[in-house]
Structures are given as C-alpha cells and as structure tokens.
Amino acid sequence: MSAPTNDRIPGVHATPGSGARATTGLPVYLLMGLYFGVVLVKSEAASWYRIQEMFRFEAFHMYGLIGSAILTGMLTTWLLRRSGARSLDGQTITVAPKERGWVRYVLGGATFGVGWGLAGVCPGPIFTLLGSGAASMLVVLGFALLGTYLYGAVRHRLPH
Amino acid sequence: MTDLLDLLRSPWPWYVGGPLIGLTVPLLLWLGNRSFGISSNLRHACAILLPDAAKPGFFRYDWRAERWNLTFAAGLILGGTLAGLLLANPEPTRLSAAGTASVQALGVQVQPGLLPAALTDLSNPGVWLLLGLSGLLVGFGTRYGGGCTSGHAITGLSTLQAPSLIATVSFFAGGILSANLLLPVLMRAVQ
C-alpha cells in the first residue's frame, strides 16, 4: 500500500492542520455515532415504513422530525458561532461552504432520492440497521460502495 | 423497573427525536470543527479498499485525516445494536391509517421492526434486485450530489446553504417518484 497523497480536498478535509492538532479523541466520535444511531432507531427515521409514509405524504412524523432537526441545528449552530466559541482543540469554528452550482445537486440529489425511496435507507440507517442485525443491509452497503466507485470512475464525463 | 423498560422500548415522538438529530451539527463543530455528513464514509471506504493501480483520482487523498468520520460510522453500528436489539419497540410501527393501507397494497404487513420481512429474505432474487438497485443509486447519487440527508438536509440547511436546499428538494423529488411509481413495480418482482 503506497502512502496517501497529502492533498486536502475542500469539502472532504477540514481546515489545514486540523488533523494534526485534533485533541478530541476518536472514542468521542464513536460515542457521537452511537448517540446518533440510537436516535435514528428510536425516532424511527431508520424505518422503511416511515420513509414510505413520508414520500406518500401520509403522515407528519418524518416532516416534523426533519423540520425540527433543521430548526434546532440552525438555532444552536448560529448561537455557537455567534458566541465566538472555539472548538475544543482551539480552532475557530468554520463551516466549509458547499460548492456553487445546481446541476450536480439536482441530478445527484434526485438519483439518491430514488434509491432512498426503494430500500427506505439513507447512508446513516444503512450502518445502524446493520448493527441491529439486518444482514440484508450488507447488500445495500456493498452496492452503495459500488455506486460510489462508479461515480469516481465516470465523474469527469458528468455535468456538474 | 418494568415501567422504565417499557419507556425505553417505546418509540420517541418527532419533537423529541428531531431536536436530538439537529444537535449533532453544533456538537461536532464544537468537539473538533467537524462538518456532519455520513455518506463521505462510502468514499473513504473506497479510498481504503481500492488497490492503488485501480484507483480513480477521486479516491486519491489522505483518508487518514477523516478517521473521525469512519469512527462515527462505527458508532452508528453500535447504536443500532444497542437500540435495535436491546431497546427495540416490541409493537409494530404506528403508521397513519393511510400509510398502513399503502404498505399493505405493496404486499407488506406492518410487523414489529424497522424493516419488513419481505425486504430481508436474501433467498429471494427479487429482494437482491430491490436492495442492490437502491444501494447503487444511494452510493452514486450521494457522491454526485455531494451529500446525503445528514450532509445536505441537516447540516447544509442548518447553515443556510443554497446548494443544500437544491439538493434536499431533489432528494424528495426522486424519493416521491420512486416510492409512488418505481417501488410498486419492483415489489411485484419481490413477491
């Protein structure tokens, strides 16, 4: 295995040097993932049934869930940045802006949406359901990796 | 004691779950200036797994700098184990009457659990078709669109980014199309 390049890719890597300076240990992120996984199950965001109900506009549950998540994230992130707080490892808190444009967001977003509506899982629940013993999620994960690879292989031919 | 266990096993309403999901964004920023997004892990996994000779440029980067995100994904698996096995809701998902009727029309019974039995039977080639197609589109689409529900709908909209609004509207356009038109056709292959 050769050494990886040191290229920092906007939108993938955080601000330069953050990797070396990070003081928050990996176990903390493990706990954060565990927290999020529990919430995905208990809120039923990882439920195929709830996703079907959402895409057919048959209940408020998922809309309330996503809407209140966005409002909470918006308010708390604004307060965090407004307060001038630094992250635990001393960095100024920054949110990397998403690339401009719209073509990739419309075409890529709709492609993901079609996949989401079928097995009812977005990437988070793939991992969470796998942990809960749904071995069939290995099929979804395997094909999701194949899809990711295919994008990497043909991306220069796609409009962005 | 039994009451507490019942409480832990019962599902949470949206106004409890939603804010807890939203809090992930400021928490990760505060912990290490990290932007929340799960689908990048699929890219990191490709970067790790692909042999160098067969690696498109898209996967040539320092994935070690993103170990935090891979660890987060490992945590998701543990969270699923904890909540999905130990704290699983013993009751079927309480869907709306219309929701119950719709999934029954697809040939699916609402039973306890997050996935219907019809989608977990890997001895059925139709299930492979449905799960494989879904996974392929999720993997391809999240990288093409630059994120998934966590990266765009939660993080992107929370931080008022216009591209994330376009992406989120497109997620829903695709999902509505697929759940209403494509899934009924594919469910016939499953049964």
Side-chain angles (χ1 to χ4, degrees):
Chain A
M1 189 165 158
S2 70
T5 59
N6 288 320
D7 295 343
R8 294 211 158 261
I9 300 170
V12 174
H13 295 122
T15 45
S18 65
R21 290 182 58 201
T23 51
T24 302
L26 291 178
V28 175
Y29 294 108
L30 189 76
L31 283 177
M32 280 300 298
L34 190 146
Y35 159 84
F36 197 71
V38 169
V39 177
L40 283 179
V41 171
K42 298 312 296 179
S43 68
E44 299 179 328
S47 161
W48 180 88
Y49 302 103
R50 287 290 191 196
I51 302 299
Q52 293 306 323
E53 203 184 36
M54 166 177 80
F55 283 139
R56 292 159 199 271
F57 304 104
E58 290 162 340
F60 181 72
H61 181 86
M62 286 299 299
Y63 292 98
L65 200 68
I66 296 175
S68 61
I70 293 167
L71 285 178
T72 306
M74 211 182 269
L75 184 71
T76 52
T77 305
W78 180 78
L79 282 171
L80 182 72
R81 298 176 76 187
R82 173 80 204 246
S83 71
R86 287 181 170 255
S87 62
L88 282 183
D89 49 350
Q91 299 180 53
T92 309
I93 289 170
T94 47
V95 178
K98 312 274 181 197
E99 274 172 53
R100 297 281 117 198
W102 58 274
V103 178
R104 66 175 302 182
Y105 298 115
V106 171
L107 298 179
T111 306
F112 161 55
V114 171
W116 189 14
L118 294 181
V121 290
C122 41
I126 293 179
F127 294 107
T128 302
L129 290 169
L130 200 57
S132 75
S136 60
M137 283 298 120
L138 277 175
V139 177
V140 182
L141 180 62
F143 278 89
L145 289 173
L146 180 64
T148 305
Y149 167 74
L150 285 177
Y151 170 74
V154 304
R155 66 190 289 265
H156 56 282
R157 295 192 204 148
L158 299 169
H160 278 79
Chain B
M1 190 61 202
T2 344
D3 288 350
L4 180 67
L5 206 56
D6 281 348
L7 187 72
L8 288 173
R9 282 179 174 161
S10 56
W12 300 343
W14 63 264
Y15 49 82
V16 172
L20 291 177
I21 290 173
L23 279 178
T24 319
V25 179
L27 274 172
L28 286 174
L29 284 171
W30 177 64
L31 285 170
N33 207 14
R34 307 295 190 187
S35 278
F36 178 45
I38 296 165
S39 63
S40 325
N41 284 305
L42 300 171
R43 181 179 182 181
H44 304 327
C46 284
I48 294 169
L49 294 171
L50 287 169
D52 244 31
K55 220 179 209 180
F58 186 62
F59 301 108
R60 293 176 193 270
Y61 60 90
D62 181 17
W63 58 264
R64 285 178 182 81
E66 302 302 308
R67 270 177 309 191
W68 76 273
N69 207 353
L70 290 157
T71 313
F72 186 92
L76 284 175
I77 298 178
L78 290 181
T81 311
L82 178 67
L85 290 181
L86 300 179
L87 308 176
N89 178 15
E91 306 287 324
T93 309
R94 201 168 293 171
L95 295 177
S96 67
T100 307
S102 287
V103 297
Q104 279 173 352
L106 290 170
V108 169
Q109 293 307 310
V110 188
Q111 283 165 334
L114 297 162
L115 281 172
L119 282 160
T120 53
D121 175 17
L122 292 181
S123 65
N124 180 342
V127 171
W128 280 79
L129 175 71
L130 186 102
L131 297 179
L133 183 63
S134 175
L136 200 67
L137 294 169
V138 166
F140 190 91
T142 50
R143 275 307 27 92
Y144 192 5
C148 61
T149 332
S150 57
H152 277 310
I154 308 297
T155 309
L157 291 184
S158 283
T159 52
L160 308 173
Q161 306 211 42
S164 292
L165 182 62
I166 302 171
T168 305
V169 169
S170 307
F171 295 165
F172 275 84
I176 290 161
L177 200 78
S178 130
N180 289 283
L181 301 177
L182 187 57
L183 187 65
V185 178
L186 280 170
M187 284 307 281
R188 264 175 246 140
V190 169
Q191 268 121 34

